[in-house]
Structure formats: C-alpha cells, structure tokens
Amino acid sequence: LRVAERMGASLDDPFRHINDQLVDDLPEDRFVTAFLGRLDPVAHTIDYHSGGQGPLLLFHAADGACDLFPPTTFPMGAISLPSLQPPVRLRLQPGDVFALLSDGVYEYENREGEQFGDEGVARVLLAHRGESMAQVLEALLEEVKVFADGAPQLDDVTLVLLRRLPEAEGLVRRASFPRSFDSLEALFSFLAEAMDAEGIAGDAIAANGQPLRHTVDFIAEELFTNMVKYN
C-alpha cells in the first residue's frame, strides 16, 4: 500500500492487488474488512473503496441528518477481484463529520441484547455538534459504556472521525503572487477586491487618520517588497 501511494497509483490498483494477495495467503475461512480512502482537503472530498466495512456514516452539520453508506465491495481476501467499480465520492460541507466505526461500536449490546446501533452514533454526533473530534470521540466512547451498563465487550471498538472545519466568520480570501515587483499591481487589485467584498468603503479612514485602503496598500507593499528583496 505504501509503495502504491509513493508511485501515485489510483485507489483501485492497491485495493485489488492487496485483495488478491490476501486471497492467496489467507485460509478459506478468513477475510479482512477494510476501508481504503483518499481525502482531498482542498476540494473537501473523500474517494473510497470499502471492502465489507460499514455502515459508513456522514453527519450533516447543516440539518443534523445522517447518511449511512454500505460497503462498496466484498471484504478483502474473500474472492479475487479482476475489476472494481469506481471509488465512491463523498463531499463534506462545513462542519460535516465522517465517521468510520467498527462493528464493535454499532453492535455493542447491553444486558437486554439491544444494540447501540447507528441511531446511537447519530444521536451523539447531533448532541455534540460543533465540538472538536477529540471531544466527540470521548463522548461516543462514554455513551457506549453507559449504554452497555456493564455488559462485556465482544468485538473491537475502533473509531476514526473526520470533520471539515466550519467556515471562518467573515470573508476568507487567499491568493499567491510571483516573487517579483511586477506582482504589486495584482496584489493591490486583490486587496481592493477583498475590501469591496467586505464592504469597506473607499473613503474609510484608518486609525492613523489616513485613508484606510492607502494604509493597507502601504503595509502590504512594505511586506511584499521585503519578501522579494530578502526572501
């Protein structure tokens, strides 16, 4: 898997080759559930294959709803896979949480034989919406423990939580400029567009009594030219 990643392979090839190797190596009554995904932190997408691993849970921060996704193919080592369907793509909106949990969470039974279930997971995610993933992880483990009420743990409890951070308040703008004095005009244009979008009037006055936009341009020019001169 690491070699495939270094070589820039797609998700399909390592999943298929690892699966086929496990078919050769494992006894007939053994297999491996596996999730193989790739996160794009710029596009906020997750592309994945899920071999017998599920349900996968996507919590929508906007309305508190949860989507459940089943495995996309057989567990690794079960059968040979000459080909695969294309990876599934999930898109995370601001605040959304992707939860990759083992059966030991969903199927944890209390003394009455009731399972914690995906409803229990969704309930915790909703109750702790907006908190850090460390806090949500702690809350999930505690809720499972309370639910079990002393019933023994019969399966592994593994949790991977991924959250797209909420958008920062106000406008967030980023741009890159070549390290050249020729970039100054583009830099000033970028600053002007950003201030327009923020509703900063062209005649606004800064704390030093000078026009705000002129002051911002002056500071940016000083910073940028120093970067050009002195790296």
Side-chain angles (χ1 to χ4, degrees):
L1 178 59
R2 290 175 176 172
V3 171
E5 185 65 21
R6 289 187 180 185
M7 294 178 65
S10 68
L11 287 175
D12 299 10
D13 288 339
F15 191 97
R16 185 168 53 82
H17 285 300
I18 293 170
N19 172 81
D20 291 351
Q21 188 65 56
L22 290 174
V23 170
D24 292 340
D25 290 350
L26 295 180
E28 291 186 358
D29 61 344
R30 293 289 185 267
F31 57 83
V32 178
T33 63
F35 173 92
L36 181 59
R38 179 175 286 123
L39 168 69
D40 185 333
V42 176
H44 309 293
T45 56
I46 303 172
D47 296 325
Y48 70 88
H49 293 296
S50 180
Q53 185 69 49
L56 309 172
L57 191 149
L58 178 61
F59 173 81
H60 298 279
D63 58 7
C66 283
D67 288 335
L68 297 172
F69 300 93
T72 60
T73 187
F74 298 97
M76 282 186 167
I79 62 170
S80 296
L81 296 173
S83 63
L84 280 172
Q85 294 292 323
V88 173
R89 170 165 291 182
L90 299 180
R91 187 174 301 276
L92 277 66
Q93 301 301 323
D96 286 359
V97 176
F98 177 70
L100 176 60
L101 313 176
S102 66
D103 292 345
V105 178
Y106 294 117
E107 298 177 1
Y108 208 121
E109 294 185 355
N110 61 17
R111 294 179 180 276
E112 287 71 42
E114 301 168 327
Q115 294 186 351
F116 189 69
D118 52 74
E119 298 91 351
V121 176
R123 183 176 64 253
V124 174
L125 293 177
L126 180 60
H128 296 271
R129 177 166 47 178
E131 296 182 13
S132 71
M133 291 299 90
Q135 292 171 311
V136 175
L137 176 64
E138 184 178 348
L140 259 174
L141 292 173
E142 180 61 25
E143 286 293 324
V144 170
K145 180 180 178 181
V146 171
F147 173 83
D149 191 26
Q153 178 182 332
L154 302 178
D155 204 348
D156 73 285
V157 172
T158 305
L159 306 89
V160 177
L161 302 176
L162 176 69
R163 177 181 179 227
R164 177 181 171 183
L165 294 177
E167 298 289 358
E169 292 186 2
L171 187 66
V172 178
R173 287 175 174 260
R174 295 181 177 87
S176 298
F177 303 93
R179 190 186 296 273
S180 166
F181 294 125
D182 294 337
S183 298
L184 284 172
E185 287 305 318
L187 173 62
F188 296 147
S189 295
F190 168 78
L191 292 172
E193 292 173 2
M195 287 186 281
D196 284 340
E198 283 287 300
I200 300 175
D203 57 356
I205 302 300
N208 61 3
Q210 299 296 315
L212 176 60
R213 294 194 178 211
H214 173 76
T215 302
V216 171
D217 285 348
F218 176 77
I219 294 171
E221 182 178 11
E222 284 293 308
L223 291 169
F224 191 81
T225 53
N226 274 281
M227 293 178 187
V228 173
K229 289 179 181 179
Y230 307 116
N231 199 29

